Amino acid sequence: VIGDWAEKLTFQLLEKIEGSSNHTHRAAIGETPGWDIDYIDNSGKLNRVEVKGTEAAAFCNIEITANELNAAKKHGDSYSLYLLARCMSKAPIYQIITNPAKQIDEGEWGIEPTAFRLSF
């Protein structure tokens, strides 16, 4: 519920960017390309947005899927994280992080596997 709420708010924010177009909420239509929303900016570039939400006032960490990590690495500056805190409140706050893979590659962020899938 929190994630859906965060994605809907982010989609509304992105639609208000002057000159942007072709906004598509991939997660809402069941697509999982490694991001939740994409849109064309006023320069004609396709931007990909992964949304993370929490009811807390801030994030200590986030979890991303292998698919999201691969997409972030592949798309670099055209891939952003939108971190929404205080979700479900009247005063949500957000932070935009462009090219999160760069933060990992340059050692500014740590990354570690936290789960493994067992297939039968």
Side-chain angles (χ1 to χ4, degrees):
V1 172
I2 294 168
D4 290 343
W5 188 93
E7 288 176 15
K8 288 176 186 175
L9 179 59
T10 300
F11 191 82
Q12 292 170 359
L13 292 169
L14 294 171
E15 284 186 310
K16 293 178 182 177
I17 295 173
E18 188 174 332
S20 67
S21 64
N22 292 46
H23 301 83
T24 305
H25 190 171
R26 301 284 172 197
I29 57 176
E31 295 180 5
T32 56
W35 59 89
D36 297 312
I37 301 165
D38 55 57
Y39 68 97
I40 307 288
D41 67 18
N42 58 6
S43 70
K45 180 176 87 173
L46 179 65
N47 290 273
R48 298 150 185 94
V49 175
E50 176 59 29
V51 180
K52 300 296 181 185
T54 183
E55 286 184 299
F59 285 87
C60 296
N61 57 54
I62 61 169
E63 292 188 9
I64 61 172
T65 67
N67 192 34
E68 292 163 356
L69 179 58
N70 290 335
K73 288 180 178 183
K74 179 178 180 181
H75 298 292
D77 287 335
S78 68
Y79 189 100
S80 297
L81 282 175
Y82 274 57
L83 305 179
L84 277 77
R86 298 184 189 154
C87 289
M88 314 291 284
S89 78
K90 293 181 181 180
I93 55 175
Y94 66 95
Q95 178 181 7
I96 303 167
I97 301 164
T98 302
N99 196 353
K102 183 178 180 183
Q103 307 291 326
I104 296 166
D105 291 343
E106 293 181 351
E108 292 182 34
W109 290 357
I111 187 168
E112 62 182 278
T114 59
F116 297 90
R117 175 172 289 150
L118 301 176
S119 299
F120 304 102

mmCIF file with all atom_site columns, all heavy atoms in Angstrom, residues 7-21:
data_model
loop_
_atom_site.group_PDB
_atom_site.id
_atom_site.type_symbol
_atom_site.label_atom_id
_atom_site.label_alt_id
_atom_site.label_comp_id
_atom_site.label_asym_id
_atom_site.label_entity_id
_atom_site.label_seq_id
_atom_site.pdbx_PDB_ins_code
_atom_site.Cartn_x
_atom_site.Cartn_y
_atom_site.Cartn_z
_atom_site.occupancy
_atom_site.B_iso_or_equiv
_atom_site.pdbx_formal_charge
_atom_site.auth_seq_id
_atom_site.auth_comp_id
_atom_site.auth_asym_id
_atom_site.auth_atom_id
_atom_site.pdbx_PDB_model_num
ATOM 1   N N   . GLU A 1 7  ? 4.293  5.691  -5.432  1.00 0.00 ? 7  GLU A N   1
ATOM 2   C CA  . GLU A 1 7  ? 4.360  5.716  -6.897  1.00 0.00 ? 7  GLU A CA  1
ATOM 3   C C   . GLU A 1 7  ? 3.330  6.669  -7.485  1.00 0.00 ? 7  GLU A C   1
ATOM 4   O O   . GLU A 1 7  ? 3.640  7.426  -8.411  1.00 0.00 ? 7  GLU A O   1
ATOM 5   C CB  . GLU A 1 7  ? 4.149  4.312  -7.460  1.00 0.00 ? 7  GLU A CB  1
ATOM 6   C CG  . GLU A 1 7  ? 5.315  3.384  -7.238  1.00 0.00 ? 7  GLU A CG  1
ATOM 7   C CD  . GLU A 1 7  ? 5.044  1.964  -7.708  1.00 0.00 ? 7  GLU A CD  1
ATOM 8   O OE1 . GLU A 1 7  ? 4.068  1.740  -8.462  1.00 0.00 ? 7  GLU A OE1 1
ATOM 9   O OE2 . GLU A 1 7  ? 5.821  1.074  -7.308  1.00 0.00 ? 7  GLU A OE2 1
ATOM 10  N N   . LYS A 1 8  ? 2.121  6.658  -6.961  1.00 0.00 ? 8  LYS A N   1
ATOM 11  C CA  . LYS A 1 8  ? 1.088  7.555  -7.479  1.00 0.00 ? 8  LYS A CA  1
ATOM 12  C C   . LYS A 1 8  ? 1.464  9.019  -7.269  1.00 0.00 ? 8  LYS A C   1
ATOM 13  O O   . LYS A 1 8  ? 1.291  9.846  -8.169  1.00 0.00 ? 8  LYS A O   1
ATOM 14  C CB  . LYS A 1 8  ? -0.264 7.251  -6.816  1.00 0.00 ? 8  LYS A CB  1
ATOM 15  C CG  . LYS A 1 8  ? -0.878 5.959  -7.292  1.00 0.00 ? 8  LYS A CG  1
ATOM 16  C CD  . LYS A 1 8  ? -2.158 5.638  -6.557  1.00 0.00 ? 8  LYS A CD  1
ATOM 17  C CE  . LYS A 1 8  ? -2.672 4.266  -6.964  1.00 0.00 ? 8  LYS A CE  1
ATOM 18  N NZ  . LYS A 1 8  ? -3.849 3.854  -6.200  1.00 0.00 ? 8  LYS A NZ  1
ATOM 19  N N   . LEU A 1 9  ? 2.003  9.335  -6.079  1.00 0.00 ? 9  LEU A N   1
ATOM 20  C CA  . LEU A 1 9  ? 2.415  10.717 -5.829  1.00 0.00 ? 9  LEU A CA  1
ATOM 21  C C   . LEU A 1 9  ? 3.573  11.111 -6.744  1.00 0.00 ? 9  LEU A C   1
ATOM 22  O O   . LEU A 1 9  ? 3.577  12.201 -7.317  1.00 0.00 ? 9  LEU A O   1
ATOM 23  C CB  . LEU A 1 9  ? 2.816  10.900 -4.362  1.00 0.00 ? 9  LEU A CB  1
ATOM 24  C CG  . LEU A 1 9  ? 3.288  12.313 -3.986  1.00 0.00 ? 9  LEU A CG  1
ATOM 25  C CD1 . LEU A 1 9  ? 2.206  13.351 -4.278  1.00 0.00 ? 9  LEU A CD1 1
ATOM 26  C CD2 . LEU A 1 9  ? 3.699  12.362 -2.529  1.00 0.00 ? 9  LEU A CD2 1
ATOM 27  N N   . THR A 1 10 ? 4.525  10.222 -6.917  1.00 0.00 ? 10 THR A N   1
ATOM 28  C CA  . THR A 1 10 ? 5.656  10.499 -7.803  1.00 0.00 ? 10 THR A CA  1
ATOM 29  C C   . THR A 1 10 ? 5.175  10.716 -9.231  1.00 0.00 ? 10 THR A C   1
ATOM 30  O O   . THR A 1 10 ? 5.636  11.641 -9.917  1.00 0.00 ? 10 THR A O   1
ATOM 31  C CB  . THR A 1 10 ? 6.686  9.359  -7.748  1.00 0.00 ? 10 THR A CB  1
ATOM 32  O OG1 . THR A 1 10 ? 7.154  9.240  -6.398  1.00 0.00 ? 10 THR A OG1 1
ATOM 33  C CG2 . THR A 1 10 ? 7.860  9.623  -8.673  1.00 0.00 ? 10 THR A CG2 1
ATOM 34  N N   . PHE A 1 11 ? 4.258  9.886  -9.692  1.00 0.00 ? 11 PHE A N   1
ATOM 35  C CA  . PHE A 1 11 ? 3.718  10.038 -11.042 1.00 0.00 ? 11 PHE A CA  1
ATOM 36  C C   . PHE A 1 11 ? 3.101  11.427 -11.202 1.00 0.00 ? 11 PHE A C   1
ATOM 37  O O   . PHE A 1 11 ? 3.338  12.109 -12.206 1.00 0.00 ? 11 PHE A O   1
ATOM 38  C CB  . PHE A 1 11 ? 2.694  8.943  -11.329 1.00 0.00 ? 11 PHE A CB  1
ATOM 39  C CG  . PHE A 1 11 ? 2.289  8.860  -12.771 1.00 0.00 ? 11 PHE A CG  1
ATOM 40  C CD1 . PHE A 1 11 ? 3.078  8.181  -13.680 1.00 0.00 ? 11 PHE A CD1 1
ATOM 41  C CD2 . PHE A 1 11 ? 1.134  9.467  -13.230 1.00 0.00 ? 11 PHE A CD2 1
ATOM 42  C CE1 . PHE A 1 11 ? 2.724  8.101  -15.018 1.00 0.00 ? 11 PHE A CE1 1
ATOM 43  C CE2 . PHE A 1 11 ? 0.765  9.395  -14.558 1.00 0.00 ? 11 PHE A CE2 1
ATOM 44  C CZ  . PHE A 1 11 ? 1.565  8.706  -15.457 1.00 0.00 ? 11 PHE A CZ  1
ATOM 45  N N   . GLN A 1 12 ? 2.350  11.870 -10.204 1.00 0.00 ? 12 GLN A N   1
ATOM 46  C CA  . GLN A 1 12 ? 1.741  13.207 -10.255 1.00 0.00 ? 12 GLN A CA  1
ATOM 47  C C   . GLN A 1 12 ? 2.810  14.299 -10.302 1.00 0.00 ? 12 GLN A C   1
ATOM 48  O O   . GLN A 1 12 ? 2.670  15.271 -11.040 1.00 0.00 ? 12 GLN A O   1
ATOM 49  C CB  . GLN A 1 12 ? 0.822  13.410 -9.054  1.00 0.00 ? 12 GLN A CB  1
ATOM 50  C CG  . GLN A 1 12 ? -0.411 12.538 -9.092  1.00 0.00 ? 12 GLN A CG  1
ATOM 51  C CD  . GLN A 1 12 ? -1.194 12.566 -7.783  1.00 0.00 ? 12 GLN A CD  1
ATOM 52  O OE1 . GLN A 1 12 ? -0.814 13.232 -6.819  1.00 0.00 ? 12 GLN A OE1 1
ATOM 53  N NE2 . GLN A 1 12 ? -2.287 11.821 -7.743  1.00 0.00 ? 12 GLN A NE2 1
ATOM 54  N N   . LEU A 1 13 ? 3.868  14.139 -9.526  1.00 0.00 ? 13 LEU A N   1
ATOM 55  C CA  . LEU A 1 13 ? 4.964  15.116 -9.539  1.00 0.00 ? 13 LEU A CA  1
ATOM 56  C C   . LEU A 1 13 ? 5.634  15.178 -10.914 1.00 0.00 ? 13 LEU A C   1
ATOM 57  O O   . LEU A 1 13 ? 5.937  16.256 -11.420 1.00 0.00 ? 13 LEU A O   1
ATOM 58  C CB  . LEU A 1 13 ? 6.008  14.764 -8.478  1.00 0.00 ? 13 LEU A CB  1
ATOM 59  C CG  . LEU A 1 13 ? 5.591  14.893 -7.025  1.00 0.00 ? 13 LEU A CG  1
ATOM 60  C CD1 . LEU A 1 13 ? 6.633  14.257 -6.114  1.00 0.00 ? 13 LEU A CD1 1
ATOM 61  C CD2 . LEU A 1 13 ? 5.381  16.356 -6.663  1.00 0.00 ? 13 LEU A CD2 1
ATOM 62  N N   . LEU A 1 14 ? 5.867  14.020 -11.498 1.00 0.00 ? 14 LEU A N   1
ATOM 63  C CA  . LEU A 1 14 ? 6.536  13.963 -12.799 1.00 0.00 ? 14 LEU A CA  1
ATOM 64  C C   . LEU A 1 14 ? 5.676  14.570 -13.906 1.00 0.00 ? 14 LEU A C   1
ATOM 65  O O   . LEU A 1 14 ? 6.203  15.196 -14.820 1.00 0.00 ? 14 LEU A O   1
ATOM 66  C CB  . LEU A 1 14 ? 6.905  12.512 -13.136 1.00 0.00 ? 14 LEU A CB  1
ATOM 67  C CG  . LEU A 1 14 ? 7.956  11.876 -12.230 1.00 0.00 ? 14 LEU A CG  1
ATOM 68  C CD1 . LEU A 1 14 ? 8.066  10.385 -12.518 1.00 0.00 ? 14 LEU A CD1 1
ATOM 69  C CD2 . LEU A 1 14 ? 9.300  12.560 -12.390 1.00 0.00 ? 14 LEU A CD2 1
ATOM 70  N N   . GLU A 1 15 ? 4.380  14.379 -13.813 1.00 0.00 ? 15 GLU A N   1
ATOM 71  C CA  . GLU A 1 15 ? 3.484  14.960 -14.823 1.00 0.00 ? 15 GLU A CA  1
ATOM 72  C C   . GLU A 1 15 ? 3.524  16.482 -14.818 1.00 0.00 ? 15 GLU A C   1
ATOM 73  O O   . GLU A 1 15 ? 3.207  17.109 -15.826 1.00 0.00 ? 15 GLU A O   1
ATOM 74  C CB  . GLU A 1 15 ? 2.046  14.483 -14.597 1.00 0.00 ? 15 GLU A CB  1
ATOM 75  C CG  . GLU A 1 15 ? 1.808  13.065 -15.042 1.00 0.00 ? 15 GLU A CG  1
ATOM 76  C CD  . GLU A 1 15 ? 0.342  12.675 -14.930 1.00 0.00 ? 15 GLU A CD  1
ATOM 77  O OE1 . GLU A 1 15 ? -0.258 12.900 -13.858 1.00 0.00 ? 15 GLU A OE1 1
ATOM 78  O OE2 . GLU A 1 15 ? -0.190 12.150 -15.917 1.00 0.00 ? 15 GLU A OE2 1
ATOM 79  N N   . LYS A 1 16 ? 3.935  17.071 -13.710 1.00 0.00 ? 16 LYS A N   1
ATOM 80  C CA  . LYS A 1 16 ? 3.975  18.533 -13.593 1.00 0.00 ? 16 LYS A CA  1
ATOM 81  C C   . LYS A 1 16 ? 5.284  19.136 -14.096 1.00 0.00 ? 16 LYS A C   1
ATOM 82  O O   . LYS A 1 16 ? 5.417  20.356 -14.145 1.00 0.00 ? 16 LYS A O   1
ATOM 83  C CB  . LYS A 1 16 ? 3.745  18.945 -12.141 1.00 0.00 ? 16 LYS A CB  1
ATOM 84  C CG  . LYS A 1 16 ? 2.344  18.621 -11.660 1.00 0.00 ? 16 LYS A CG  1
ATOM 85  C CD  . LYS A 1 16 ? 2.155  18.992 -10.213 1.00 0.00 ? 16 LYS A CD  1
ATOM 86  C CE  . LYS A 1 16 ? 0.749  18.602 -9.766  1.00 0.00 ? 16 LYS A CE  1
ATOM 87  N NZ  . LYS A 1 16 ? 0.531  18.869 -8.350  1.00 0.00 ? 16 LYS A NZ  1
ATOM 88  N N   . ILE A 1 17 ? 6.239  18.306 -14.490 1.00 0.00 ? 17 ILE A N   1
ATOM 89  C CA  . ILE A 1 17 ? 7.507  18.833 -14.996 1.00 0.00 ? 17 ILE A CA  1
ATOM 90  C C   . ILE A 1 17 ? 7.245  19.479 -16.356 1.00 0.00 ? 17 ILE A C   1
ATOM 91  O O   . ILE A 1 17 ? 6.752  18.827 -17.280 1.00 0.00 ? 17 ILE A O   1
ATOM 92  C CB  . ILE A 1 17 ? 8.571  17.727 -15.132 1.00 0.00 ? 17 ILE A CB  1
ATOM 93  C CG1 . ILE A 1 17 ? 8.923  17.158 -13.753 1.00 0.00 ? 17 ILE A CG1 1
ATOM 94  C CG2 . ILE A 1 17 ? 9.826  18.262 -15.830 1.00 0.00 ? 17 ILE A CG2 1
ATOM 95  C CD1 . ILE A 1 17 ? 9.836  15.958 -13.808 1.00 0.00 ? 17 ILE A CD1 1
ATOM 96  N N   . GLU A 1 18 ? 7.568  20.730 -16.457 1.00 0.00 ? 18 GLU A N   1
ATOM 97  C CA  . GLU A 1 18 ? 7.309  21.479 -17.679 1.00 0.00 ? 18 GLU A CA  1
ATOM 98  C C   . GLU A 1 18 ? 8.022  20.849 -18.871 1.00 0.00 ? 18 GLU A C   1
ATOM 99  O O   . GLU A 1 18 ? 9.217  20.555 -18.811 1.00 0.00 ? 18 GLU A O   1
ATOM 100 C CB  . GLU A 1 18 ? 7.762  22.928 -17.517 1.00 0.00 ? 18 GLU A CB  1
ATOM 101 C CG  . GLU A 1 18 ? 7.345  23.801 -18.683 1.00 0.00 ? 18 GLU A CG  1
ATOM 102 C CD  . GLU A 1 18 ? 7.675  25.270 -18.432 1.00 0.00 ? 18 GLU A CD  1
ATOM 103 O OE1 . GLU A 1 18 ? 7.713  25.693 -17.271 1.00 0.00 ? 18 GLU A OE1 1
ATOM 104 O OE2 . GLU A 1 18 ? 7.880  25.965 -19.440 1.00 0.00 ? 18 GLU A OE2 1
ATOM 105 N N   . GLY A 1 19 ? 7.277  20.624 -19.926 1.00 0.00 ? 19 GLY A N   1
ATOM 106 C CA  . GLY A 1 19 ? 7.840  20.086 -21.156 1.00 0.00 ? 19 GLY A CA  1
ATOM 107 C C   . GLY A 1 19 ? 7.985  18.578 -21.171 1.00 0.00 ? 19 GLY A C   1
ATOM 108 O O   . GLY A 1 19 ? 8.428  18.014 -22.169 1.00 0.00 ? 19 GLY A O   1
ATOM 109 N N   . SER A 1 20 ? 7.626  17.903 -20.086 1.00 0.00 ? 20 SER A N   1
ATOM 110 C CA  . SER A 1 20 ? 7.735  16.445 -20.076 1.00 0.00 ? 20 SER A CA  1
ATOM 111 C C   . SER A 1 20 ? 6.507  15.824 -20.738 1.00 0.00 ? 20 SER A C   1
ATOM 112 O O   . SER A 1 20 ? 5.449  16.438 -20.822 1.00 0.00 ? 20 SER A O   1
ATOM 113 C CB  . SER A 1 20 ? 7.902  15.923 -18.654 1.00 0.00 ? 20 SER A CB  1
ATOM 114 O OG  . SER A 1 20 ? 6.727  16.145 -17.889 1.00 0.00 ? 20 SER A OG  1
ATOM 115 N N   . SER A 1 21 ? 6.678  14.582 -21.216 1.00 0.00 ? 21 SER A N   1
ATOM 116 C CA  . SER A 1 21 ? 5.581  13.911 -21.919 1.00 0.00 ? 21 SER A CA  1
ATOM 117 C C   . SER A 1 21 ? 5.733  12.400 -21.800 1.00 0.00 ? 21 SER A C   1
ATOM 118 O O   . SER A 1 21 ? 6.713  11.893 -21.260 1.00 0.00 ? 21 SER A O   1
ATOM 119 C CB  . SER A 1 21 ? 5.570  14.326 -23.396 1.00 0.00 ? 21 SER A CB  1
ATOM 120 O OG  . SER A 1 21 ? 6.771  13.888 -24.029 1.00 0.00 ? 21 SER A OG  1
#
